[in-house]
Amino acid sequence: MKKNKIIIIIVSLIIIVCSSLGAYYFGAYSFYHKIFPFSASKKVIEENDFKQTAYNFIKLKSYNTPNYGKYGGIDFLLNELIYVEGDGSVYILKKKFNDKFTFKKVKSEKIPNNRDKFINKYQETYGEVRMTNFFGVRDIYIDKFDSEKNKDLLIVSSLDYDVENDCHRLAVFSNQFVKKKELELKKWQKIFTSKTCLDEDVHIDEKFPLSSAGGRIVKFDENHILLSIGDYAVDGYYSTKKYSQDLSNDYGKIIKIKINDSSSEIFSYGHRNPQGLFFLDKENIFSTEHGPNGGDELNIIYKDKNYGWPLATFGTAYYKYSGNHAEEEQSVSFEWPNEITDNSHSGFEKPIYSWGPRWGVSNLIVYKSGTIDKRWKGNLFISSLRAKTLSRMVFNEENKSIIYVEDILINKRIRDIVESPKGEIVLLTDQKGGADGYTEIPQIIFISKK
């Protein structure tokens, strides 16, 4: 009898443990993935797809990245793709002898942005996953500059935490690739921090609007870069201040930065959250930026011009912006509360194209090579997050207008886009989970001729 009782107890414990593990795995673990190392496959799997476009069929080769995560960026070092995760980890996509691919981690120090200290400070209040998702690298750029003796520089924009003053900002860091036995990086140098460090009090609803940071980088000339900086929702509604129209700070601006001495100047202002930046020449600097509910913009950037935000937008207010919580939606005004131009953008630099709601524009390129299709040469390719679409736009340089748009559904949130040395269009996708979870591993997608 005693032996039977022991067996029953042991069996009961086994059932309880298995049930608990099952509930955890299919419940909380499946929803958040817990940021455990084994939650994402380290094996790189190639997937192939084909799509029909207006002129041709294209081939899409997709490769899963090593980890879950948001943001980060891609660029090329010679013919090899460099991928920097949101947490600052640097990888090179390498082809193995069996024609398979792997992400090889590049030896590097941590980017000195105090990311871990920020997460530890605010995770209890706002959630570890939310802080982990949003605090990190926004973009990367690789090129040679005269001021650095023609060495390959890796330039990274990232959120940056000032521990002593308990505030955050956007910063730019640079590093140099060195070839030893394996590719390595030297010591990180901070070359820029945004003027005015932001503390918790500047934000509404006790949340950090870190997604409004901007952070795109392009080379302006052999000694300068341009950097886009978002307004961090300091827009006259979420805050009493309107940073984008205030030239005493760097927010809601595109900033010109000198590489060798870290000096900077405001290049343009009146921006909300510039997610894309591409330098074709000094007369054709393209930028994409998020509007409110609709009103995402494609702009040509001119020095010292005011692009209107938050006083002018083709977007409208979200329901909660109206301040009117009437039961019937029809009684609510959807006008953006700071709009002063009756949606005409009069008196400010106008976008050359603007989207309606549910688009979520991200980065862009001008496709230079025409390798995929010669008719694509010189076209703009603009990626989106919410719409999961790649838009091909024909640009009329004579009158600075868009005269044709073709939308190519990728069905993935697209975070970054570059052109490879071989003429492929290369995309970095973004996980489709929200701020508080991980539900999809980002991918690198190579688009080529079928």
Side-chain angles (χ1 to χ4, degrees), residues 7-268:
I7 292 172
I8 291 171
I9 291 170
I10 292 172
V11 171
S12 299
L13 287 172
I14 291 171
I15 292 171
I16 290 170
V17 170
C18 290
S19 298
S20 299
L21 287 173
Y24 174 73
Y25 183 84
F26 293 106
Y29 173 76
S30 292
F31 184 74
Y32 287 109
H33 296 279
K34 292 296 181 183
I35 325 177
F36 289 159
F38 52 81
S39 65
S41 172
K42 300 301 180 184
K43 182 179 179 182
V44 177
I45 299 171
E46 180 182 300
E47 298 176 356
N48 290 283
D49 192 13
F50 300 92
K51 289 187 180 293
Q52 182 178 356
T53 69
Y55 295 144
N56 52 35
F57 282 89
I58 55 174
K59 183 175 183 179
L60 287 74
K61 280 189 174 183
S62 305
Y63 304 92
N64 58 286
T65 61
N67 298 297
Y68 292 94
K70 290 182 75 68
Y71 296 101
I74 54 174
D75 206 350
F76 279 86
L77 178 64
L78 299 177
N79 288 316
E80 295 187 299
L81 182 131
I82 301 294
Y83 165 54
V84 181
E85 289 183 339
D87 69 358
S89 300
V90 182
Y91 293 89
I92 183 168
L93 183 61
K94 302 283 289 185
K95 191 172 186 178
K96 300 191 292 186
F97 293 112
N98 58 0
D99 287 336
K100 302 294 184 182
F101 284 84
T102 185
F103 280 97
K104 175 74 174 177
K105 195 164 188 179
V106 176
K107 185 178 179 181
S108 171
E109 298 176 355
K110 275 190 174 182
I111 297 173
N113 57 7
N114 294 317
R115 179 175 185 268
D116 293 341
K117 292 180 180 178
F118 180 87
I119 294 169
N120 290 336
K121 169 81 175 181
Y122 290 105
Q123 64 183 356
E124 185 174 341
T125 305
Y126 301 107
E128 180 184 359
V129 180
R130 175 178 287 269
M131 295 293 95
T132 300
N133 272 342
F134 279 139
F135 195 99
V137 169
R138 285 304 190 267
D139 194 22
I140 74 169
Y141 185 81
I142 300 171
D143 210 335
K144 293 179 170 66
F145 290 82
D146 282 352
S147 58
E148 294 296 334
K149 299 179 181 178
N150 287 323
K151 294 179 180 177
D152 289 306
L153 285 187
L154 170 61
I155 301 176
V156 169
S157 66
S158 170
L159 276 72
D160 183 48
Y161 180 46
D162 183 332
V163 178
E164 183 178 350
N165 296 300
D166 190 21
C167 59
H168 65 278
R169 56 212 173 181
L170 193 71
V172 177
F173 301 87
S174 71
N175 208 327
Q176 290 183 8
F177 286 104
V178 292
K179 185 72 173 178
K180 295 185 178 179
K181 187 177 179 181
E182 298 284 348
L183 190 68
E184 295 182 10
L185 285 164
K186 295 174 71 175
K187 188 176 180 63
W188 289 102
Q189 303 290 330
K190 186 185 291 186
I191 62 173
F192 171 83
T193 54
S194 54
K195 192 186 300 180
T196 303
C197 201
L198 305 173
D199 59 31
E200 201 172 358
D201 295 336
V202 80
H203 308 117
I204 195 171
D205 294 336
E206 298 182 350
K207 290 183 179 180
F208 287 97
L210 303 179
S211 60
S212 297
R216 289 297 176 193
I217 307 165
V218 295
K219 183 178 183 178
F220 183 79
D221 59 29
E222 292 303 324
N223 296 293
H224 298 87
I225 60 170
L226 294 179
L227 171 75
S228 73
I229 306 181
D231 72 346
Y232 281 81
V234 185
D235 57 10
Y237 181 83
Y238 282 122
S239 169
T240 57
K241 299 177 181 179
K242 300 181 180 74
Y243 272 176
S244 298
Q245 294 295 320
D246 179 359
L247 298 180
S248 69
N249 69 78
D250 290 330
Y251 300 100
K253 317 291 193 307
I254 291 176
I255 307 294
K256 183 180 177 183
I257 303 166
K258 194 171 185 178
I259 291 291
N260 62 348
D261 66 7
S262 300
S263 61
S264 65
E265 61 176 308
I266 293 173
F267 194 80
S268 64

